[in-house]
Amino acid sequence: MQARDARRNEQIRRNLDRREQELRQDERRVDRRERQLDRRDDYRDDRYYRDNRYYDDDYWNDRDDDDDDDHGSDIAKLLLAGVAGYAVGSMLSGNRQVALNTGDRAVLTLPDGSQQIVRDDNALLYQPGSDVQTETFNDGSTRTTVLRADGSRVVTIRDADTNVLQRTLIRPDGTATRLMDNTNVRPVQVSTLPAPQPVEYSSQPWNEDDLRTALLRESGTDRRFTLGQIRDIPEVRSLVAPVNVPDVTFDTGSAALSSDQAEQLATLGKVIRDSIDQNPNEVYMIEGYTDAVGSNAANLALSDRRAESVALALTEYYQVPPENMVVQGYGEEFLLVPTEGDTRDNRRVAIRRITDLLEQSGS
């Protein structure tokens, strides 16, 4: 088993080296394409997609009624097609069944009965004025390059199952920051992990100093993990404590975030942005939750949208770089208030700084 894992990791590293060489060869072509962009049209299309998808209650009502949105942008259509295609492929190759497909994400039921959310992890990167290029390789892996108006690029390499292998920010001057490197997969033995970090919940808005202290608390381990291990293994995640966001809760069945609510994220946005300015390697996981009303699959998808809504608000209102965030919904699995009822406090989000847990060097 170890020899097989070692061969797999070595093959992945060779593939990544080859693709990085190809990336450098493509830089001139990419620069020429960037100069040809009609940024006003991109802004118009992306702005409609973003605003209507995440900040308009009528959008979610329309989706519940199965109405078609004839005005969606090209990016929206690509996302829907990509997620749907991945869901079908996963069902056929991994003995997983599609429990729910909402178009922008899918919920799969695994052989053990647990459920898994599938979404496009690059969705946060699709900002106004950006050009998205995706290349697919023979092994099914992909390299997506998001070109921005300021000349920077975010390059994400994913495997055939769309799991993120690497994400790198390349600035206009050519300097690069590796944000994620999930190519060296090591098994997790839960019994050897340190005790979880204590969780402090606040029912009142955090002041800046307390929020910074809570959010930037270091983990209790030197071990690094893949993004999938952090998302899927509670004992790994709990090595850093989540910080709840009491300022924002959601209406029943809704992932919409009003502008008034987004303004309540000002302190959080400032703390996160300041930390990234000081350390460009910082990565935060935005977690979404629901109450216990409704089906598990629907709640899982809804909670994931809530996390994405908050992440997009942090980018739009407070200029938090989207490449430094990932989202993850947990549905009704971790109720803040242990009740089966319709409790608003459970329709929430939390933030977790996963920088200290996340493998970024590939070592």
Side-chain angles (χ1 to χ4, degrees), residues 55-91:
Y55 299 103
D56 187 352
D57 288 316
D58 291 336
Y59 174 84
W60 298 108
N61 293 335
D62 289 344
R63 289 203 61 82
D64 292 340
D65 293 337
D66 294 328
D67 290 339
D68 291 332
D69 183 1
D70 294 332
H71 303 290
S73 70
D74 291 339
I75 288 179
K77 295 172 184 175
L78 289 173
L79 283 176
L80 302 187
V83 171
Y86 171 63
V88 173
S90 297
M91 178 183 66

Side-chain angles (χ1 to χ4, degrees), residues 55-243:
Y55 299 103
D56 187 352
D57 288 316
D58 291 336
Y59 174 84
W60 298 108
N61 293 335
D62 289 344
R63 289 203 61 82
D64 292 340
D65 293 337
D66 294 328
D67 290 339
D68 291 332
D69 183 1
D70 294 332
H71 303 290
S73 70
D74 291 339
I75 288 179
K77 295 172 184 175
L78 289 173
L79 283 176
L80 302 187
V83 171
Y86 171 63
V88 173
S90 297
M91 178 183 66
L92 295 176
S93 64
N95 193 27
R96 292 176 278 188
Q97 299 295 320
V98 178
L100 180 69
N101 191 339
T102 63
D104 60 343
R105 61 216 341 110
V107 177
L108 307 181
T109 300
L110 307 184
D112 64 0
S114 63
Q115 292 185 322
Q116 178 186 48
I117 189 78
V118 179
R119 102 284 289 156
D120 183 356
D121 269 317
N122 283 335
L124 295 180
L125 305 178
Y126 303 147
Q127 299 294 313
S130 298
D131 178 46
V132 181
Q133 300 179 4
T134 297
E135 301 166 83
T136 302
F137 300 94
N138 291 335
D139 61 358
S141 61
T142 60
R143 179 178 65 200
T144 298
T145 302
V146 178
L147 311 172
R148 293 175 172 165
D150 64 357
S152 63
R153 302 187 296 276
V154 180
V155 181
T156 304
I157 297 174
R158 296 184 290 181
D159 65 18
D161 291 330
T162 75
N163 299 307
V164 175
L165 293 177
Q166 286 184 351
R167 174 167 289 166
T168 305
L169 169 66
I170 303 174
R171 296 176 183 80
D173 63 3
T175 59
T177 298
R178 179 65 53 79
L179 296 169
M180 303 177 198
D181 193 317
N182 299 311
T183 60
N184 186 24
V185 181
R186 293 182 290 164
V188 176
Q189 187 173 351
V190 172
S191 61
T192 65
L193 296 177
Q197 288 277 5
V199 180
E200 298 179 10
Y201 291 103
S202 174
S203 59
Q204 301 297 323
W206 294 87
N207 66 54
E208 185 175 332
D209 290 339
D210 289 344
L211 178 60
R212 182 175 289 104
T213 298
L215 197 60
L216 302 184
R217 186 185 307 164
E218 295 184 354
S219 72
T221 180
D222 293 331
R223 162 74 194 270
R224 296 299 178 111
F225 305 88
T226 68
L227 178 59
Q229 290 169 339
I230 296 170
R231 280 172 158 165
D232 298 338
I233 305 175
E235 292 84 359
V236 171
R237 283 197 305 282
S238 66
L239 295 176
V240 293
V243 175

Side-chain angles (χ1 to χ4, degrees), residues 21-82:
Q21 292 175 1
E22 293 172 353
L23 177 62
R24 288 192 290 270
Q25 294 171 358
D26 289 344
E27 284 184 349
R28 289 186 179 179
R29 176 177 58 82
V30 166
D31 289 339
R32 287 196 301 269
R33 173 69 182 273
E34 187 177 13
R35 288 193 296 269
Q36 295 170 356
L37 290 175
D38 185 344
R39 303 193 188 285
R40 289 175 297 180
D41 287 346
D42 284 347
Y43 181 85
R44 179 196 62 206
D45 291 342
D46 289 356
R47 177 64 180 269
Y48 181 88
Y49 167 62
R50 180 188 56 193
D51 290 351
N52 285 273
R53 186 177 175 213
Y54 296 100
Y55 299 103
D56 187 352
D57 288 316
D58 291 336
Y59 174 84
W60 298 108
N61 293 335
D62 289 344
R63 289 203 61 82
D64 292 340
D65 293 337
D66 294 328
D67 290 339
D68 291 332
D69 183 1
D70 294 332
H71 303 290
S73 70
D74 291 339
I75 288 179
K77 295 172 184 175
L78 289 173
L79 283 176
L80 302 187

Side-chain angles (χ1 to χ4, degrees), residues 99-100 102 105 107 115 117 251-255 287-307 328-335 339-342 346-348:
L100 180 69
T102 63
R105 61 216 341 110
V107 177
Q115 292 185 322
I117 189 78
D251 293 337
T252 299
S254 175
E287 303 172 2
Y289 300 90
T290 69
D291 57 31
V293 178
S295 71
N296 291 338
N299 282 339
L300 186 57
L302 178 61
S303 66
D304 205 63
R305 291 194 198 103
R306 287 172 174 169
Q328 181 63 43
Y330 290 108
E332 59 187 76
E333 189 174 359
F334 303 100
L335 297 175
T339 176
E340 296 297 317
D342 177 5
N346 285 327
R347 304 193 294 270
R348 61 189 177 94

